[in-house]
Amino acid sequence: MTATTAPTAVNTPRTPAGSPGHDAGWVELTEKVRDSGRYPTRAEAERVTRIVLSALGGHVVGDERVDLARALPEEAARVVAGQIPATRPLTAQEFVDSVAVRMEGATPATARWDVSSVLSVLPSLVGDELVNRVLTQLPPGYALLFGRAELTPTP
């Protein structure tokens, strides 16, 4: 007799690994997030990645948004590009707080962990130059969320 465990609807990936049309880049991204954030499952890393990228997608605009979507795996690109632009820029703390509101049971500290777990893996996937361009669009404080020292403009 063998026991099977049905995945929960909340944590089931949209396209299971190994199925036709599966986005290998998405798996790589979420595995990096899983390692970075020490999440117990890939499903948890996927959930966090979707929430953080959807929040980021509303705050990156113009060529940087297009280039970011092009540089990300297909599934992540859809999450970023599918967002309506924010009506006003959020400070880094407000951004973290906005993510906390989207995550059941999150605190500001756990939301900061989640945001940093996702954003800190982006430079290795999309390149430092693009991340620098994205950071110049965002208010001060975001560089720390990407795992970097704060950038300061040169005179």
Side-chain angles (χ1 to χ4, degrees):
M1 183 164 123
T2 56
T4 59
T5 305
T8 61
V10 173
N11 291 331
T12 302
R14 288 187 186 170
T15 309
S19 66
H22 183 66
D23 185 353
W26 173 254
V27 172
E28 178 186 355
L29 169 60
T30 57
E31 283 299 324
K32 286 184 178 193
V33 170
R34 182 178 178 187
D35 290 343
S36 174
R38 299 183 182 145
Y39 298 105
T41 65
R42 186 164 60 90
E44 178 67 9
E46 285 184 355
R47 184 183 72 81
V48 168
T49 302
R50 284 184 197 285
I51 292 169
V52 172
L53 289 180
S54 69
L56 181 64
H59 293 282
V60 178
V61 297
D63 290 342
E64 285 72 23
R65 181 176 171 155
V66 171
D67 292 345
L68 180 60
R70 284 182 182 154
L72 288 169
E74 183 180 338
E75 182 68 19
R78 282 195 299 264
V79 172
V80 168
Q83 303 309 306
I84 296 171
T87 56
R88 70 173 184 88
L90 297 179
T91 66
Q93 184 58 54
E94 290 171 330
F95 180 81
V96 169
D97 291 343
S98 77
V99 169
V101 170
R102 297 177 189 205
M103 294 185 172
E104 186 177 332
T107 66
T110 61
R112 182 176 172 82
W113 178 269
D114 293 334
V115 168
S116 292
S117 295
V118 174
L119 298 184
S120 67
V121 303
L122 292 184
S124 68
L125 292 173
V126 304
D128 288 330
E129 188 272 331
L130 179 54
V131 169
N132 288 341
R133 288 176 37 218
V134 166
L135 286 171
T136 61
Q137 270 194 8
L138 299 170
Y142 279 81
L144 296 173
L145 298 174
F146 281 84
R148 298 176 160 201
E150 188 66 45
L151 299 175
T152 55
T154 55

